[in-house]
Amino acid sequence: MGAGYVGILTVELHFPEAHSLKEKRHFVRSAKAQLQNRVGASVSEVDHHDVWQRARLTVACVAREHREVTRLLDEAERWLRSREWEVTRAERLVVDPDD
C-alpha cells in the first residue's frame, strides 16, 4: 500500500515595503492563509522572526501521486513569486515515505 508523497517548499521572502514587524506580520499572515486556501498546505514561518523585512517560510503539501505534489509546490511557488514581496531563495524536496 502506497503512503503518498510529501512536498516541502522552503522560501526566503524579502518585504521591501515593510517598515515594521507589524507590517511584515501582515504580509506573512496573508501568505500563510492564501497558501492554505489555494493548495491546502501547512505553512510555518521558520526563521527571521525579529527581522522586519525578511521571512523564511516552509510550506508542506501531501498528495497520493508525485506529479500532484509537484503541481501543488509549483502553484505555491508561482503564487509567492507573483506577489508584492520578493522571493530571494526557494528550495523544494519531495519525499516518498516508503523509501
Side-chain angles (χ1 to χ4, degrees), residues 34-49:
Q34 286 294 320
L35 290 169
Q36 289 165 349
N37 290 335
R38 290 174 176 275
V39 298
S42 286
V43 185
S44 181
E45 181 181 5
V46 296
D47 201 3
H48 310 304
H49 300 283

Side-chain angles (χ1 to χ4, degrees), residues 58-76:
T58 296
V59 179
C61 303
V62 177
R64 283 184 10 181
E65 296 180 2
H66 188 280
R67 72 173 182 247
E68 176 64 11
V69 83
T70 300
R71 185 192 68 76
L72 292 171
L73 294 177
D74 288 344
E75 186 176 334

Side-chain angles (χ1 to χ4, degrees), residues 61-95:
C61 303
V62 177
R64 283 184 10 181
E65 296 180 2
H66 188 280
R67 72 173 182 247
E68 176 64 11
V69 83
T70 300
R71 185 192 68 76
L72 292 171
L73 294 177
D74 288 344
E75 186 176 334
E77 187 173 349
R78 188 172 33 257
W79 183 82
L80 285 165
R81 290 186 182 278
S82 73
R83 309 313 301 168
E84 62 270 21
W85 51 72
E86 300 168 7
V87 175
T88 60
R89 184 175 176 186
E91 295 178 6
R92 58 170 65 192
L93 174 67
V94 176
V95 178

